[in-house]
Amino acid sequence: NYDVPVKPSEFQGDRDAEWADIGCGYGGLVLELAANFPSKRIVGLEIRDRVHEYCELQLKTLREDYPGEYLNASFARTNT
């Protein structure tokens, strides 16, 4: 049993994202796209809790290391 949204109306992620990586895994594609297309808002969707936590940590670290960059990327734990 997963504690994730089961229908779109329950989604808590970035509703204004232009691109989505569904089943993003460790987030590599999302982060690469965010770096190369800074004007696009990108969301990575992942169902596995630990992998989602890893993605969030990666994003936090990149934002700290590169201030003002990666602000167009986000991750959400979901199965929708």
Side-chain angles (χ1 to χ4, degrees):
N1 187 359
Y2 294 103
D3 183 26
V4 294
V6 294
K7 53 187 170 181
S9 62
E10 296 175 359
F11 178 65
Q12 299 287 324
D14 184 353
R15 291 184 175 273
D16 294 323
E18 297 169 275
W19 295 345
D21 182 3
I22 300 168
C24 68
Y26 292 95
L29 178 62
V30 170
L31 297 174
E32 194 66 30
L33 289 171
N36 287 288
F37 298 93
S39 66
K40 299 291 183 186
R41 292 180 65 170
I42 305 157
V43 62
L45 306 176
E46 177 58 48
I47 193 170
R48 295 171 291 175
D49 190 42
R50 303 281 279 171
V51 177
H52 174 254
E53 289 175 13
Y54 175 84
C55 292
E56 291 285 353
L57 180 60
Q58 284 283 92
L59 183 56
K60 179 180 180 232
T61 301
L62 286 167
R63 286 178 176 171
E64 290 171 357
D65 291 348
Y66 303 96
E69 296 185 32
Y70 295 96
L71 301 176
N72 58 327
S74 64
F75 293 98
R77 182 169 175 258
T78 184
N79 67 346
T80 56

mmCIF file of all heavy atoms in Angstrom, residues 8-45:
data_model
loop_
_atom_site.group_PDB
_atom_site.id
_atom_site.type_symbol
_atom_site.label_atom_id
_atom_site.label_comp_id
_atom_site.label_asym_id
_atom_site.label_seq_id
_atom_site.Cartn_x
_atom_site.Cartn_y
_atom_site.Cartn_z
ATOM 1 N N PRO A 8 -5.638 12.536 -10.154
ATOM 2 C CA PRO A 8 -5.012 13.831 -10.430
ATOM 3 C C PRO A 8 -5.431 14.959 -9.489
ATOM 4 O O PRO A 8 -4.619 15.826 -9.174
ATOM 5 C CB PRO A 8 -5.438 14.127 -11.869
ATOM 6 C CG PRO A 8 -5.662 12.785 -12.468
ATOM 7 C CD PRO A 8 -6.225 11.940 -11.340
ATOM 8 N N SER A 9 -6.645 14.958 -9.021
ATOM 9 C CA SER A 9 -7.098 16.049 -8.150
ATOM 10 C C SER A 9 -6.350 16.068 -6.818
ATOM 11 O O SER A 9 -6.338 17.085 -6.136
ATOM 12 C CB SER A 9 -8.601 15.931 -7.908
ATOM 13 O OG SER A 9 -8.904 14.716 -7.250
ATOM 14 N N GLU A 10 -5.692 14.967 -6.453
ATOM 15 C CA GLU A 10 -4.946 14.896 -5.196
ATOM 16 C C GLU A 10 -3.458 15.202 -5.382
ATOM 17 O O GLU A 10 -2.704 15.225 -4.416
ATOM 18 C CB GLU A 10 -5.104 13.502 -4.584
ATOM 19 C CG GLU A 10 -6.529 13.180 -4.192
ATOM 20 C CD GLU A 10 -6.693 11.757 -3.693
ATOM 21 O OE1 GLU A 10 -5.706 11.002 -3.668
ATOM 22 O OE2 GLU A 10 -7.820 11.401 -3.332
ATOM 23 N N PHE A 11 -3.018 15.466 -6.607
ATOM 24 C CA PHE A 11 -1.608 15.715 -6.904
ATOM 25 C C PHE A 11 -1.121 16.976 -6.215
ATOM 26 O O PHE A 11 -1.756 18.024 -6.300
ATOM 27 C CB PHE A 11 -1.422 15.818 -8.419
ATOM 28 C CG PHE A 11 -0.012 16.111 -8.835
ATOM 29 C CD1 PHE A 11 0.990 15.189 -8.598
ATOM 30 C CD2 PHE A 11 0.304 17.293 -9.463
ATOM 31 C CE1 PHE A 11 2.299 15.452 -8.985
ATOM 32 C CE2 PHE A 11 1.601 17.555 -9.863
ATOM 33 C CZ PHE A 11 2.596 16.638 -9.626
ATOM 34 N N GLN A 12 0.022 16.885 -5.535
ATOM 35 C CA GLN A 12 0.581 18.012 -4.792
ATOM 36 C C GLN A 12 1.786 18.647 -5.486
ATOM 37 O O GLN A 12 2.396 19.546 -4.953
ATOM 38 C CB GLN A 12 1.011 17.547 -3.396
ATOM 39 C CG GLN A 12 -0.114 17.009 -2.552
ATOM 40 C CD GLN A 12 -1.033 18.089 -2.043
ATOM 41 O OE1 GLN A 12 -0.588 19.179 -1.722
ATOM 42 N NE2 GLN A 12 -2.318 17.807 -1.973
ATOM 43 N N GLY A 13 2.155 18.171 -6.666
ATOM 44 C CA GLY A 13 3.349 18.660 -7.352
ATOM 45 C C GLY A 13 3.121 19.960 -8.101
ATOM 46 O O GLY A 13 2.117 20.652 -7.923
ATOM 47 N N ASP A 14 4.059 20.286 -8.965
ATOM 48 C CA ASP A 14 4.040 21.524 -9.745
ATOM 49 C C ASP A 14 3.015 21.410 -10.872
ATOM 50 O O ASP A 14 3.256 20.789 -11.884
ATOM 51 C CB ASP A 14 5.431 21.783 -10.312
ATOM 52 C CG ASP A 14 5.539 23.097 -11.064
ATOM 53 O OD1 ASP A 14 4.504 23.758 -11.276
ATOM 54 O OD2 ASP A 14 6.660 23.468 -11.433
ATOM 55 N N ARG A 15 1.871 22.034 -10.695
ATOM 56 C CA ARG A 15 0.799 21.962 -11.703
ATOM 57 C C ARG A 15 1.086 22.835 -12.926
ATOM 58 O O ARG A 15 0.392 22.742 -13.925
ATOM 59 C CB ARG A 15 -0.533 22.355 -11.077
ATOM 60 C CG ARG A 15 -1.029 21.330 -10.083
ATOM 61 C CD ARG A 15 -2.403 21.715 -9.550
ATOM 62 N NE ARG A 15 -2.919 20.684 -8.683
ATOM 63 C CZ ARG A 15 -3.598 19.630 -9.103
ATOM 64 N NH1 ARG A 15 -3.849 19.463 -10.367
ATOM 65 N NH2 ARG A 15 -4.036 18.728 -8.234
ATOM 66 N N ASP A 16 2.094 23.683 -12.833
ATOM 67 C CA ASP A 16 2.438 24.549 -13.958
ATOM 68 C C ASP A 16 3.612 24.013 -14.772
ATOM 69 O O ASP A 16 4.120 24.700 -15.649
ATOM 70 C CB ASP A 16 2.769 25.960 -13.456
ATOM 71 C CG ASP A 16 1.561 26.644 -12.849
ATOM 72 O OD1 ASP A 16 0.448 26.450 -13.377
ATOM 73 O OD2 ASP A 16 1.736 27.367 -11.856
ATOM 74 N N ALA A 17 4.052 22.802 -14.474
ATOM 75 C CA ALA A 17 5.186 22.226 -15.200
ATOM 76 C C ALA A 17 4.832 22.065 -16.679
ATOM 77 O O ALA A 17 3.708 21.730 -17.029
ATOM 78 C CB ALA A 17 5.561 20.881 -14.595
ATOM 79 N N GLU A 18 5.828 22.305 -17.514
ATOM 80 C CA GLU A 18 5.646 22.163 -18.958
ATOM 81 C C GLU A 18 6.074 20.778 -19.437
ATOM 82 O O GLU A 18 5.558 20.278 -20.416
ATOM 83 C CB GLU A 18 6.446 23.244 -19.672
ATOM 84 C CG GLU A 18 5.954 24.645 -19.318
ATOM 85 C CD GLU A 18 6.894 25.710 -19.815
ATOM 86 O OE1 GLU A 18 7.867 26.024 -19.101
ATOM 87 O OE2 GLU A 18 6.660 26.217 -20.921
ATOM 88 N N TRP A 19 7.058 20.203 -18.755
ATOM 89 C CA TRP A 19 7.545 18.874 -19.101
ATOM 90 C C TRP A 19 7.498 17.995 -17.863
ATOM 91 O O TRP A 19 7.783 18.453 -16.750
ATOM 92 C CB TRP A 19 8.980 18.925 -19.600
ATOM 93 C CG TRP A 19 9.174 19.659 -20.885
ATOM 94 C CD1 TRP A 19 8.203 20.025 -21.774
ATOM 95 C CD2 TRP A 19 10.405 20.120 -21.424
ATOM 96 N NE1 TRP A 19 8.772 20.666 -22.837
ATOM 97 C CE2 TRP A 19 10.116 20.745 -22.653
ATOM 98 C CE3 TRP A 19 11.720 20.064 -21.002
ATOM 99 C CZ2 TRP A 19 11.104 21.305 -23.447
ATOM 100 C CZ3 TRP A 19 12.701 20.617 -21.793
ATOM 101 C CH2 TRP A 19 12.398 21.229 -23.007
ATOM 102 N N ALA A 20 7.169 16.720 -18.049
ATOM 103 C CA ALA A 20 7.133 15.768 -16.930
ATOM 104 C C ALA A 20 7.909 14.518 -17.307
ATOM 105 O O ALA A 20 7.806 14.017 -18.422
ATOM 106 C CB ALA A 20 5.695 15.400 -16.586
ATOM 107 N N ASP A 21 8.677 14.033 -16.356
ATOM 108 C CA ASP A 21 9.361 12.752 -16.498
ATOM 109 C C ASP A 21 8.646 11.794 -15.554
ATOM 110 O O ASP A 21 8.822 11.852 -14.338
ATOM 111 C CB ASP A 21 10.836 12.893 -16.139
ATOM 112 C CG ASP A 21 11.610 11.595 -16.308
ATOM 113 O OD1 ASP A 21 11.025 10.596 -16.760
ATOM 114 O OD2 ASP A 21 12.812 11.589 -15.974
ATOM 115 N N ILE A 22 7.814 10.946 -16.110
ATOM 116 C CA ILE A 22 6.994 10.034 -15.314
ATOM 117 C C ILE A 22 7.789 8.773 -15.040
ATOM 118 O O ILE A 22 8.250 8.110 -15.964
ATOM 119 C CB ILE A 22 5.675 9.730 -16.050
ATOM 120 C CG1 ILE A 22 4.917 11.033 -16.274
ATOM 121 C CG2 ILE A 22 4.842 8.715 -15.265
ATOM 122 C CD1 ILE A 22 3.760 10.937 -17.217
ATOM 123 N N GLY A 23 7.950 8.467 -13.772
ATOM 124 C CA GLY A 23 8.824 7.368 -13.382
ATOM 125 C C GLY A 23 10.270 7.814 -13.528
ATOM 126 O O GLY A 23 11.084 7.151 -14.157
ATOM 127 N N CYS A 24 10.602 8.964 -12.927
ATOM 128 C CA CYS A 24 11.878 9.635 -13.168
ATOM 129 C C CYS A 24 13.085 8.933 -12.559
ATOM 130 O O CYS A 24 14.218 9.329 -12.830
ATOM 131 C CB CYS A 24 11.820 11.077 -12.681
ATOM 132 S SG CYS A 24 11.714 11.262 -10.895
ATOM 133 N N GLY A 25 12.859 7.915 -11.748
ATOM 134 C CA GLY A 25 14.006 7.237 -11.151
ATOM 135 C C GLY A 25 14.813 8.199 -10.304
ATOM 136 O O GLY A 25 14.265 8.922 -9.482
ATOM 137 N N TYR A 26 16.109 8.239 -10.531
ATOM 138 C CA TYR A 26 16.988 9.070 -9.706
ATOM 139 C C TYR A 26 17.074 10.519 -10.180
ATOM 140 O O TYR A 26 17.879 11.295 -9.666
ATOM 141 C CB TYR A 26 18.368 8.428 -9.609
ATOM 142 C CG TYR A 26 18.317 7.144 -8.811
ATOM 143 C CD1 TYR A 26 18.185 5.918 -9.440
ATOM 144 C CD2 TYR A 26 18.337 7.181 -7.429
ATOM 145 C CE1 TYR A 26 18.099 4.748 -8.711
ATOM 146 C CE2 TYR A 26 18.245 6.019 -6.684
ATOM 147 C CZ TYR A 26 18.131 4.805 -7.328
ATOM 148 O OH TYR A 26 18.032 3.660 -6.591
ATOM 149 N N GLY A 27 16.255 10.905 -11.147
ATOM 150 C CA GLY A 27 16.113 12.305 -11.519
ATOM 151 C C GLY A 27 17.132 12.869 -12.481
ATOM 152 O O GLY A 27 17.138 14.072 -12.727
ATOM 153 N N GLY A 28 17.975 12.044 -13.038
ATOM 154 C CA GLY A 28 19.024 12.537 -13.927
ATOM 155 C C GLY A 28 18.503 13.315 -15.123
ATOM 156 O O GLY A 28 19.033 14.375 -15.452
ATOM 157 N N LEU A 29 17.477 12.807 -15.775
ATOM 158 C CA LEU A 29 16.928 13.495 -16.942
ATOM 159 C C LEU A 29 16.320 14.836 -16.547
ATOM 160 O O LEU A 29 16.547 15.853 -17.211
ATOM 161 C CB LEU A 29 15.886 12.633 -17.655
ATOM 162 C CG LEU A 29 15.206 13.282 -18.863
ATOM 163 C CD1 LEU A 29 16.233 13.605 -19.951
ATOM 164 C CD2 LEU A 29 14.114 12.384 -19.399
ATOM 165 N N VAL A 30 15.578 14.862 -15.455
ATOM 166 C CA VAL A 30 14.961 16.113 -14.990
ATOM 167 C C VAL A 30 16.033 17.166 -14.730
ATOM 168 O O VAL A 30 15.911 18.321 -15.171
ATOM 169 C CB VAL A 30 14.121 15.877 -13.718
ATOM 170 C CG1 VAL A 30 13.680 17.194 -13.094
ATOM 171 C CG2 VAL A 30 12.932 14.996 -14.022
ATOM 172 N N LEU A 31 17.093 16.786 -14.047
ATOM 173 C CA LEU A 31 18.138 17.749 -13.702
ATOM 174 C C LEU A 31 18.918 18.195 -14.936
ATOM 175 O O LEU A 31 19.277 19.372 -15.048
ATOM 176 C CB LEU A 31 19.063 17.140 -12.648
ATOM 177 C CG LEU A 31 18.357 16.818 -11.326
ATOM 178 C CD1 LEU A 31 19.300 16.082 -10.387
ATOM 179 C CD2 LEU A 31 17.796 18.070 -10.671
ATOM 180 N N GLU A 32 19.158 17.285 -15.859
ATOM 181 C CA GLU A 32 19.858 17.649 -17.088
ATOM 182 C C GLU A 32 19.011 18.591 -17.936
ATOM 183 O O GLU A 32 19.509 19.581 -18.477
ATOM 184 C CB GLU A 32 20.205 16.384 -17.878
ATOM 185 C CG GLU A 32 21.196 16.589 -18.976
ATOM 186 C CD GLU A 32 22.593 16.968 -18.494
ATOM 187 O OE1 GLU A 32 22.994 16.557 -17.394
ATOM 188 O OE2 GLU A 32 23.272 17.692 -19.236
ATOM 189 N N LEU A 33 17.720 18.301 -18.061
ATOM 190 C CA LEU A 33 16.824 19.188 -18.808
ATOM 191 C C LEU A 33 16.728 20.559 -18.138
ATOM 192 O O LEU A 33 16.721 21.591 -18.813
ATOM 193 C CB LEU A 33 15.440 18.562 -18.944
ATOM 194 C CG LEU A 33 15.324 17.367 -19.881
ATOM 195 C CD1 LEU A 33 13.943 16.725 -19.752
ATOM 196 C CD2 LEU A 33 15.605 17.772 -21.317
ATOM 197 N N ALA A 34 16.648 20.567 -16.810
ATOM 198 C CA ALA A 34 16.547 21.832 -16.081
ATOM 199 C C ALA A 34 17.776 22.709 -16.334
ATOM 200 O O ALA A 34 17.655 23.926 -16.507
ATOM 201 C CB ALA A 34 16.383 21.574 -14.593
ATOM 202 N N ALA A 35 18.937 22.099 -16.380
ATOM 203 C CA ALA A 35 20.172 22.849 -16.614
ATOM 204 C C ALA A 35 20.243 23.378 -18.048
ATOM 205 O O ALA A 35 20.729 24.485 -18.283
ATOM 206 C CB ALA A 35 21.379 21.968 -16.315
ATOM 207 N N ASN A 36 19.758 22.594 -18.995
ATOM 208 C CA ASN A 36 19.884 22.954 -20.408
ATOM 209 C C ASN A 36 18.718 23.764 -20.962
ATOM 210 O O ASN A 36 18.838 24.385 -22.020
ATOM 211 C CB ASN A 36 20.079 21.699 -21.252
ATOM 212 C CG ASN A 36 21.466 21.123 -21.068
ATOM 213 O OD1 ASN A 36 22.431 21.694 -21.556
ATOM 214 N ND2 ASN A 36 21.579 20.041 -20.331
ATOM 215 N N PHE A 37 17.595 23.755 -20.255
ATOM 216 C CA PHE A 37 16.406 24.507 -20.691
ATOM 217 C C PHE A 37 15.847 25.301 -19.503
ATOM 218 O O PHE A 37 14.787 24.985 -18.965
ATOM 219 C CB PHE A 37 15.340 23.550 -21.242
ATOM 220 C CG PHE A 37 15.785 22.785 -22.454
ATOM 221 C CD1 PHE A 37 16.356 21.529 -22.331
ATOM 222 C CD2 PHE A 37 15.636 23.336 -23.724
ATOM 223 C CE1 PHE A 37 16.778 20.828 -23.442
ATOM 224 C CE2 PHE A 37 16.062 22.637 -24.842
ATOM 225 C CZ PHE A 37 16.638 21.379 -24.703
ATOM 226 N N PRO A 38 16.569 26.330 -19.059
ATOM 227 C CA PRO A 38 16.179 27.055 -17.851
ATOM 228 C C PRO A 38 14.831 27.772 -17.935
ATOM 229 O O PRO A 38 14.258 28.109 -16.901
ATOM 230 C CB PRO A 38 17.323 28.052 -17.641
ATOM 231 C CG PRO A 38 18.004 28.157 -18.949
ATOM 232 C CD PRO A 38 17.793 26.854 -19.657
ATOM 233 N N SER A 39 14.298 27.972 -19.138
ATOM 234 C CA SER A 39 13.009 28.652 -19.253
ATOM 235 C C SER A 39 11.825 27.680 -19.147
ATOM 236 O O SER A 39 10.676 28.116 -19.119
ATOM 237 C CB SER A 39 12.924 29.418 -20.579
ATOM 238 O OG SER A 39 12.933 28.507 -21.670
ATOM 239 N N LYS A 40 12.091 26.386 -19.084
ATOM 240 C CA LYS A 40 11.032 25.371 -18.979
ATOM 241 C C LYS A 40 10.908 24.879 -17.540
ATOM 242 O O LYS A 40 11.903 24.676 -16.858
ATOM 243 C CB LYS A 40 11.333 24.168 -19.883
ATOM 244 C CG LYS A 40 11.427 24.508 -21.346
ATOM 245 C CD LYS A 40 10.074 24.880 -21.890
ATOM 246 C CE LYS A 40 10.146 25.151 -23.384
ATOM 247 N NZ LYS A 40 8.912 25.646 -23.917
ATOM 248 N N ARG A 41 9.685 24.668 -17.093
ATOM 249 C CA ARG A 41 9.439 24.100 -15.761
ATOM 250 C C ARG A 41 9.260 22.596 -15.918
ATOM 251 O O ARG A 41 8.440 22.140 -16.709
ATOM 252 C CB ARG A 41 8.215 24.736 -15.131
ATOM 253 C CG ARG A 41 8.487 26.204 -14.802
ATOM 254 C CD ARG A 41 7.335 26.871 -14.177
ATOM 255 N NE ARG A 41 7.045 26.282 -12.885
ATOM 256 C CZ ARG A 41 6.196 26.806 -12.016
ATOM 257 N NH1 ARG A 41 5.569 27.906 -12.320
ATOM 258 N NH2 ARG A 41 5.968 26.223 -10.872
ATOM 259 N N ILE A 42 10.037 21.838 -15.154
ATOM 260 C CA ILE A 42 10.112 20.395 -15.323
ATOM 261 C C ILE A 42 9.827 19.719 -13.990
ATOM 262 O O ILE A 42 10.370 20.109 -12.952
ATOM 263 C CB ILE A 42 11.510 19.992 -15.826
ATOM 264 C CG1 ILE A 42 11.844 20.768 -17.097
ATOM 265 C CG2 ILE A 42 11.606 18.496 -16.049
ATOM 266 C CD1 ILE A 42 13.307 20.894 -17.377
ATOM 267 N N VAL A 43 8.991 18.690 -14.016
ATOM 268 C CA VAL A 43 8.690 17.930 -12.807
ATOM 269 C C VAL A 43 9.009 16.457 -13.051
ATOM 270 O O VAL A 43 8.726 15.917 -14.120
ATOM 271 C CB VAL A 43 7.208 18.108 -12.366
ATOM 272 C CG1 VAL A 43 6.245 17.589 -13.405
ATOM 273 C CG2 VAL A 43 6.959 17.456 -11.023
ATOM 274 N N GLY A 44 9.631 15.851 -12.060
ATOM 275 C CA GLY A 44 9.892 14.418 -12.089
ATOM 276 C C GLY A 44 8.937 13.725 -11.143
ATOM 277 O O GLY A 44 8.787 14.138 -9.985
ATOM 278 N N LEU A 45 8.264 12.686 -11.618
ATOM 279 C CA LEU A 45 7.298 11.949 -10.804
ATOM 280 C C LEU A 45 7.861 10.572 -10.484
ATOM 281 O O LEU A 45 8.266 9.849 -11.383
ATOM 282 C CB LEU A 45 5.971 11.815 -11.563
ATOM 283 C CG LEU A 45 5.364 13.121 -12.076
ATOM 284 C CD1 LEU A 45 4.106 12.825 -12.885
ATOM 285 C CD2 LEU A 45 5.056 14.058 -10.930
#
